[in-house]
Amino acid sequence: MIRYLPHKDIDKNAWDTCLRRSFNGIVYAQSWFLDIVSPGWDALVGGEYESVFPLTHHRKFGIPYLYQPFFTQQLGIFSGRHLTAQVVQEFIDAIPRRFRLADIHLNAFNKVDPAGVPGKMRINLELDLIAPYEQLVKSYSENTRRNVKKAAVKGVQLIRKPDPDELITLFRENFGSTEKKLKYRHYDMLRSIMKQALANNLGMTFGAGLAGRPMSAGAFFLFDRTRRIFHFAATGPEGRDSGAMFLMIDSFIRENAGQALILDFEGSDDENVARFYKGFGGREVPYYMVRINRLPRILKLGLSLFRKT
């Protein structure tokens, strides 16, 4: 039996226990993370918290809808049981009708029959770190090897544990100055994620830059049981010119090679970004984006008005 639970009725201890027992549990779905990215989230729960599905919702013009929160690549159904396409369909069908729109991402283990679930496939890139570094580096592209070498020749140095605010500032002063989706509240959200993760040994910050110069490239890695997620990154002009980001990721791979871990690049459908991740040997892993529109026909033309901004 699948139950819909409003936020106040969710047993978060039982929820997090389910995540720990799930074969596909991931940090994005842990209650502390959801509380930051989507305060007041609701849920679908199968049985006695044997399977769970967070419903991250918002409201615009009085219409409640489901959306994919910022900084949260995949959610969907998490379970210790085998998840067939039929089970996934049952959960999708159990989404309350009051949510008139849905634009949400399932996780890579949620297989769907596209005929029954409207949406499209998206692509993530992942690198299995179990092999020794000497073997992993053989999968690097020539461009990646060249940039790692360039960074070393230019004297790029690693910066351990830079402050989260340094990363956010570097991003906002560069890509963030032209990027229009992220608002002040989103940077506050990101800061909260990083600080809580760092306080509980669930992440690390990493940086790089030329000796005697400010940090020109940095990243935040979010930790899960079996994966290290490249969750947020920032680069300035000096970092791009020196290959600092290439050296930083290569160093992370070197330090974690030979472990039963996955480096999750968290994207991307963008060709240029995907090429960068593939340059380190990243392989494509598809996941499904669900799109549901239950609006009256006259309102469907204005769908973009209801998407979260």
Side-chain angles (χ1 to χ4, degrees):
M1 181 183 69
I2 300 173
R3 295 175 289 153
Y4 164 69
L5 296 179
H7 186 77
K8 65 181 179 61
D9 294 334
I10 298 170
D11 182 336
K12 292 184 180 177
N13 288 327
W15 180 277
D16 290 331
T17 296
C18 177
L19 263 291
R20 287 192 296 272
R21 292 174 177 173
S22 296
F23 69 89
N24 62 333
I26 197 167
V27 64
Y28 304 125
Q30 292 177 13
S31 64
W32 73 266
F33 194 96
L34 290 169
D35 285 344
I36 293 174
V37 299
S38 183
W41 53 280
D42 296 341
L44 296 176
V45 173
E48 295 302 317
Y49 287 87
E50 293 155 3
S51 304
V52 296
F53 183 169
L55 299 176
T56 49
H57 58 86
H58 200 64
R59 181 183 291 269
K60 185 169 287 188
F61 303 121
I63 298 175
Y65 64 97
L66 302 180
Y67 73 102
Q68 193 67 22
F70 280 86
F71 312 114
T72 310
Q73 190 197 54
Q74 300 179 29
L75 288 172
I77 306 157
F78 301 92
S79 180
R81 298 184 173 185
H82 180 53
L83 291 174
T84 63
Q86 179 180 347
V87 171
V88 174
Q89 184 71 59
E90 289 170 357
F91 270 88
I92 298 297
D93 291 343
I95 294 174
R97 298 290 299 179
R98 73 183 191 88
F99 294 114
R100 310 295 293 277
L101 294 167
D103 194 348
I104 54 177
H105 300 169
L106 304 181
N107 61 75
F109 294 91
N110 292 171
K111 305 307 178 185
V112 303
D113 178 359
V117 182
K120 68 175 184 177
M121 298 302 300
R122 301 199 67 177
I123 297 296
N124 190 27
L125 285 140
E126 300 178 356
L127 175 65
D128 193 335
L129 297 175
I130 191 67
Y133 173 76
E134 292 74 18
Q135 183 175 334
L136 293 174
V137 78
K138 291 178 181 178
S139 297
Y140 285 13
S141 68
E142 184 57 39
N143 179 65
T144 297
R145 292 195 191 96
R146 183 169 59 251
N147 275 282
V148 171
K149 183 177 180 180
K150 178 175 73 172
V153 169
K154 285 182 172 287
V156 173
Q157 297 182 350
L158 301 176
I159 300 171
R160 302 287 177 172
K161 300 180 180 179
D163 189 89
D165 283 323
E166 290 185 68
L167 287 179
I168 292 174
T169 298
L170 182 62
F171 180 89
R172 291 182 67 175
E173 291 179 349
N174 292 278
F175 183 70
S177 63
T178 57
E179 201 281 334
K180 301 301 182 183
K181 291 183 180 179
L182 295 180
K183 313 299 181 185
Y184 286 110
R185 68 180 182 275
H186 299 128
Y187 290 116
D188 286 341
M189 182 189 300
L190 176 61
R191 185 179 293 106
S192 295
I193 292 171
M194 288 196 281
K195 289 191 173 181
Q196 186 152 339
L198 293 173
N200 290 283
N201 296 316
L202 294 173
M204 66 171 286
T205 54
F206 207 178
L210 296 173
R213 301 281 296 163
M215 182 176 69
S216 59
F220 168 63
F221 292 87
L222 184 61
F223 293 176
D224 205 356
R225 292 174 300 182
T226 60
R227 62 183 58 220
R228 300 293 181 260
I229 301 169
F230 189 60
H231 191 252
F232 179 74
T235 308
E238 191 172 78
R240 289 189 289 273
D241 293 341
S242 66
M245 186 63 75
F246 285 90
L247 182 67
M248 189 181 65
I249 295 177
D250 171 70
S251 298
F252 186 87
I253 291 171
R254 183 191 297 270
E255 293 176 11
N256 289 276
Q259 300 184 62
L261 293 172
I262 291 170
L263 174 55
D264 184 337
F265 288 108
E266 208 183 55
S268 168
D269 290 326
D270 181 284
E271 270 187 38
N272 293 325
V273 176
R275 187 180 305 113
F276 176 72
Y277 297 149
K278 288 180 179 179
F280 289 95
R283 64 182 181 88
E284 292 188 355
V285 180
Y287 62 98
Y288 200 73
M289 179 175 70
V290 176
R291 277 188 166 164
I292 298 171
N293 188 343
R294 297 167 176 165
L295 290 174
R297 184 183 299 274
I298 194 171
L299 293 179
K300 288 186 178 182
L301 295 176
L303 175 59
S304 60
L305 294 175
F306 299 92
R307 288 184 178 165
K308 191 174 188 328
T309 58

